[in-house]
Amino acid sequence: QVTVVESGGGLVQAGGSLRLSCVASGRTHSSYSIAWFRQAPGKGRELVAIISWVGGSTYYADSAKGRFTISRDNAKNTVFLQMNSLKPEDTAVYYCASGSGWSITDFSSWGQGTQVTVSS
């Protein structure tokens, strides 16, 4: 089983930036990709971005395109989510998850989440 731990959340003003980190441990060889999701108060969980460990293929939700960048450091089993030009609507708990594929249903190992709050 793969264990993931998120960090890097916090309070930032609109227009600011944050970088989230997701460190994977355990049976990391079984992890094909890492995804970032977020869940705002009263809303469902939303996919933000995905990256594959091999090759670094990426996918971004429309809400993340042009503002967020997902990247990885394979040597450190770490995935980053650089978030720029943050908006109040980006406020949410951000989760990373390890998956065996590229489909949303492939993600089964979830972290505890890190809170991102963007003030207006």
Side-chain angles (χ1 to χ4, degrees):
Q1 184 169 344
V2 179
T3 301
V4 292
V5 178
E6 308 94 336
S7 64
L11 173 64
V12 64
Q13 289 187 333
S17 299
L18 280 175
R19 188 175 82 155
L20 306 183
S21 299
C22 173
V23 179
S25 61
R27 300 184 63 186
T28 55
H29 62 277
S30 66
S31 177
Y32 174 83
S33 56
I34 294 288
W36 284 99
F37 293 81
R38 66 186 183 185
Q39 187 164 18
K43 296 188 177 181
R45 194 166 289 186
E46 173 192 14
L47 174 65
V48 177
I50 308 174
I51 189 166
S52 63
W53 287 112
V54 178
S57 297
T58 58
Y59 166 85
Y60 293 94
D62 288 344
S63 59
K65 288 179 181 176
R67 299 188 300 127
F68 296 1
T69 302
I70 191 169
S71 61
R72 80 218 191 278
D73 182 337
N74 288 38
K76 296 182 179 180
N77 290 329
T78 302
V79 169
F80 304 100
L81 184 68
Q82 177 68 42
M83 305 187 295
N84 299 327
S85 302
L86 283 162
K87 305 174 182 179
E89 50 263 45
D90 293 317
T91 294
V93 177
Y94 283 71
Y95 300 88
C96 70
S98 171
S100 58
W102 201 249
S103 172
I104 291 178
T105 57
D106 291 330
F107 294 96
S108 58
S109 298
W110 294 82
Q112 294 301 305
T114 185
Q115 176 71 47
V116 171
T117 302
V118 184
S119 63
S120 57

